Amino acid sequence: MGAVVRRTVAVVAAIVLYLEAVGIVVINGIMATFVNNQSMSLDGLDPDVMATSTWAMGGVFGFFLAACGTLFLVAAVRDRGPGRWGRVLLVSCAVVHGVLGALTVGLVGWHAFAFLMVALGLIVLALLQYGGTEPAESGGGAAPADKGPSVSMDKGPVVGDGPATA
């Protein structure tokens, strides 16, 4: 049952990220077209440069979102979490969604905020689902033997199995 849920969450997150990638490219294309048609300028900048950079930004960000969606799709097919750099990319995607969600509330509205928070939740949930599925290190089959009492990094030896107190 766990693998089914894990794969389903990863596939849904991939689909949402693919849709978001297409939406970002389309929105940036619309903005670039408006800037180009209106010959808008910001503090004397060339309108053609502004339109081209808007297209470029949309393409780069759309590629970023599509790459994150592909990572989730590959994770779902293999039923194995992404590697270290894949996780770094996906965590950065989650951070970007959080920051954009905070900015979106005031600029666009609550509907866009809700969409970004659903996407953020799917990314985080998929990352958590695949958190412990790294392949085991090849070595001996036995668990390592105790090398002595547990030691806390800040308080010295740990006594008992109960919760730590300050």
Side-chain angles (χ1 to χ4, degrees):
M1 181 78 163
V4 173
V5 171
R6 190 170 46 235
R7 286 180 168 182
T8 304
V9 168
V11 168
V12 170
I15 290 170
V16 167
L17 287 172
Y18 286 141
L19 291 174
E20 198 172 353
V22 170
I24 287 294
V25 171
V26 168
I27 286 173
N28 277 287
I30 291 170
M31 288 191 305
T33 304
F34 282 150
V35 167
N36 200 22
N37 289 341
Q38 297 294 322
S39 294
M40 293 179 184
S41 176
L42 182 65
D43 196 29
L45 293 175
D46 184 21
D48 292 332
V49 172
M50 290 177 58
T52 304
S53 60
T54 303
W55 271 111
M57 182 181 69
V60 168
F61 197 54
F63 178 77
F64 171 72
L65 291 171
C68 292
T70 302
L71 280 173
F72 277 133
L73 204 56
V74 169
V77 169
R78 292 183 182 170
D79 197 27
R80 205 175 95 193
R84 175 177 291 153
W85 292 109
R87 285 193 182 139
V88 167
L89 187 68
L90 293 173
V91 167
S92 68
C93 185
V95 169
V96 165
H97 276 82
V99 171
L100 285 179
L103 293 173
T104 300
V105 172
L107 297 175
V108 180
W110 288 101
H111 289 72
F113 172 77
F115 176 78
L116 285 171
M117 291 303 105
V118 166
L120 173 64
L122 283 169
I123 293 167
V124 170
L125 182 60
L127 279 170
L128 289 175
Q129 292 289 323
Y130 282 107
T133 56
E134 285 293 315
E137 294 290 327
S138 59
D146 284 336
K147 296 180 182 177
S150 298
V151 177
S152 171
M153 297 300 282
D154 57 354
K155 300 280 185 178
V158 176
V159 180
D161 293 327
T165 57

